[in-house]
Amino acid sequence: MDAPDVLDLWDLRVRHQPDAPALVTPDRVLTRRSVDRLTDAWAASLAGRGAGPGRLVGLAFADPGRTVLGMLAALKAGAGFTVLDDRLPAAARDSLVRRTAAAVWLGDGAHAPAAAYVPAGAAGGVADDGTAGGTATGEGAGAADAGGHPVRPPARAAGHDVAYVLFTSGSTGQPKGTLIERDSLRRFAAAVAERLELAAGDRWLQVASLGFDVLIEEVFPALVAGAAVVCRADTGALDAEELHTMMARTGTTVVELSTQYWLEYAHWLDARGLTTPAGLRLVVVGGERMDPRPYREWQARQPARLAHVYGLTECTVSSTFYTGLLPADAAEVPLGTPLRDVEISVRRDGRPVPQGESGEIHIGGPLLARGFLDDDAATARRFVPDPLSAVPGARVYTTGDLGRIDADGNLVFLGRLDDQVKIRGHRLEPARVERALCEDPAVEQAVVFPDPATGTVLWAFTVPADPERAPLPGEAVRLTAAERDALVAPLEEQLPDWAVPRVLYRVSVLPKNPHGKIDKRRLSDWATATVTNPAAAAGTGTAATGTGAGRTVPGAPGPGGEPLSTVLGLFREVLGAPELGPDDDFFEHGGQSLLAMRLLARLREFLPSAAGLRASALLRCPTPRLLAGALATAGPREAGLPR
């Protein structure tokens, strides 16, 4: 008898509760029957165009809802899928399209390959009975049942066939395509549903970037457990208020957030004296090391429980979960215990260490990826034979993460064995960015690391090749916008946005600590000392001070004051750039989505006209002067700023 497939778990839910919600979009709620019939039609179209076992279907939709439908349809056609992240630079997108060699592409986004098409019904919607709306193309339409509904193509994939290929961040070179098999996906979905106690009444909000492996965790455990997936209208980032409002409006019960995103949401709740929406029962948090203090504070104040998660793309998303209450004396938030079908061990020199001692985290079991797409050498380096296993041919993945097992059996993260860092949830090898910076003939040396305050944006310190351009020893001169743009332009063509340094300094030398390593703390101190007179830099005269939420803000006016100084002061505070001027661009000075959320939250605390401000406003008015002018003249609605 064949082993069950992930689709068998889906089919079971469709048979038992066909009218229960499966996909919630801004336009409608689709039942399991509706989703099943629509994806059957899509699968028939895909099969007619060459999709099947061992092949990939590429997905490049502009909205998450159709991406979810496309993933399910690809599996029904017997194929695997890959998802193209719309945030990638064009060159990186083109490279991924070539490397996946997908049999067919679905999509309608601006980032979609030229050959991509939208299947029948995707544009026309779904009728109340679950049939596809719109006009069928006829190509690969397949058979229909007695009711006229398309019949799923008969192709039956095996457990070892590909389920999906998603790409890692490419921390040490070009991004690696990680190939996950169908049996691993089935086991993973069932194990997460079991661990998080997902049920038919749950609704999991999809917030991860498409192309990021967390998308898999947001979708398949919910679908196989009979829960619903809640989708946004597009792939734009939600700020804290938008996230809160959407969860309340859609009845979301489960959401997964990166560590930094969760911290922003927690701060927003605390600043307003709010608690999580009544329906929200669980917030899954992971991607970076967790500070115990905010974890305890959340558990003391918020009704929604926390689950701390650890995993890697190469091991089918997540491997361990911690769902307990953090003890008062805990110095670290544990990563938890392994999922069913996951084997966790801590080893040193290939041998397990005693409980409590540190070593490299190894992950084994049937959830391991087959390997890296078309890269046998990298696969052999990271997926190694496991001499400790009694299972013939067993492998183990060497994570490069340092950890230990505590007295309660929980895995505890202790850092990296190498120099990799985490930036906005992605693993990065700084040397790759440093090498790219040094390709500029004007740069002799470079070092890159996350900013010490938030860890959400990369700083770069460069030593100029021309000594005449070097500042005095012990000084760090921040590059002007034009200098920075010229230096990072080549990087933007080959790296994702989060891997491009946004705050760059010029120094005369890279200082070393007593161990001979670059002293990043001293570089940070030099950068902090690089402060011109804030009022002079802003051109606004002597800066007044104001307070909000117990904090002092440079340049905040008194009651009735002109808002430019307030807006400018908050830009400076959030970006950590006291020299920022009124015409400096937020995004050109290290701003990104998480810092945008923080800035909007602070603006709302000080300016009544910013009460309805949304993240997209910064795209239209990215400088303090533009944003202050729009707010001062009319307020969000009249100024054309989204509410």
Side-chain angles (χ1 to χ4, degrees), residues 321-334:
F321 283 82
Y322 178 74
T323 56
L325 289 174
L326 190 65
D329 59 349
E332 296 285 343
V333 180

Side-chain angles (χ1 to χ4, degrees), residues 248-270:
R249 178 174 54 81
T250 60
T252 292
T253 63
V254 182
V255 68
E256 183 162 354
L257 306 175
S258 69
T259 304
Q260 290 296 327
Y261 194 175
W262 170 75
L263 287 170
E264 291 297 327
Y265 180 49
H267 173 74
W268 183 86
L269 289 172
D270 289 345

Side-chain angles (χ1 to χ4, degrees), residues 42 97 174 218 271 295 339 378 385 456 497 504 551 585 640:
W42 287 24
V97 170
Q174 70 173 351
E218 294 172 319
Y295 202 88
L339 293 173
T456 63
D497 176 73
L504 291 89
R551 298 170 64 184
D585 189 292

Side-chain angles (χ1 to χ4, degrees), residues 93-149:
R93 293 199 305 267
D94 292 343
S95 174
L96 265 56
V97 170
R98 289 193 303 271
R99 292 171 61 193
T100 54
V104 58
W105 278 90
L106 298 181
D108 60 352
H111 63 298
Y117 81 104
V118 179
V126 181
D128 292 337
D129 64 353
T131 57
T135 303
T137 62
E139 182 176 358
D145 63 17
H149 305 300

Side-chain angles (χ1 to χ4, degrees), residues 425-593:
H426 300 274
R427 201 181 299 282
L428 174 72
E429 178 67 56
R432 183 190 180 198
V433 184
E434 293 162 1
R435 287 193 297 269
L437 287 169
C438 289
E439 289 178 2
D440 189 306
V443 176
E444 179 70 22
Q445 294 176 282
V447 64
V448 171
F449 54 91
D451 72 285
T454 69
T456 63
V457 66
L458 285 178
W459 282 7
F461 291 80
T462 62
V463 177
D466 182 1
E468 294 294 323
R469 302 190 68 238
L472 294 173
E475 289 185 354
V477 175
R478 187 160 177 168
L479 271 60
T480 65
E483 291 173 327
R484 184 194 61 252
D485 289 348
L487 193 54
V488 304
L491 277 67
E492 291 176 326
E493 295 179 357
Q494 55 182 304
L495 298 174
D497 176 73
W498 51 265
V500 177
R502 295 302 175 189
V503 178
L504 291 89
Y505 292 92
R506 186 184 301 118
V507 294
S508 61
V509 66
L510 298 179
K512 303 293 181 64
N513 62 25
H515 301 289
K517 295 183 179 294
I518 294 175
D519 193 337
K520 297 173 183 176
R521 177 174 295 181
R522 200 188 315 178
L523 286 170
S524 299
D525 291 341
W526 292 357
T528 302
T530 306
V531 179
T532 58
N533 184 305
T540 57
T542 302
T545 60
T547 58
R551 298 170 64 184
T552 300
V553 182
E562 203 278 330
L564 175 57
S565 54
T566 301
V567 176
L568 176 59
L570 293 171
F571 267 65
R572 290 173 176 170
E573 175 197 319
V574 169
L575 293 173
E579 74 281 10
L580 194 80
D583 297 309
D584 287 331
D585 189 292
F586 177 80
F587 299 100
E588 292 179 355
H589 286 74
Q592 32 79 3
S593 58

Side-chain angles (χ1 to χ4, degrees), residues 225-288:
V229 179
V230 180
C231 290
R232 301 160 290 157
D234 53 41
T235 60
L238 301 171
D239 67 32
E241 185 173 347
E242 289 171 322
L243 173 69
H244 185 79
T245 301
M246 186 168 188
M247 290 192 298
R249 178 174 54 81
T250 60
T252 292
T253 63
V254 182
V255 68
E256 183 162 354
L257 306 175
S258 69
T259 304
Q260 290 296 327
Y261 194 175
W262 170 75
L263 287 170
E264 291 297 327
Y265 180 49
H267 173 74
W268 183 86
L269 289 172
D270 289 345
R272 285 151 187 78
L274 298 175
T275 59
T276 51
L280 187 68
R281 68 173 184 86
L282 182 67
V283 180
V284 182
V285 183
E288 298 173 53

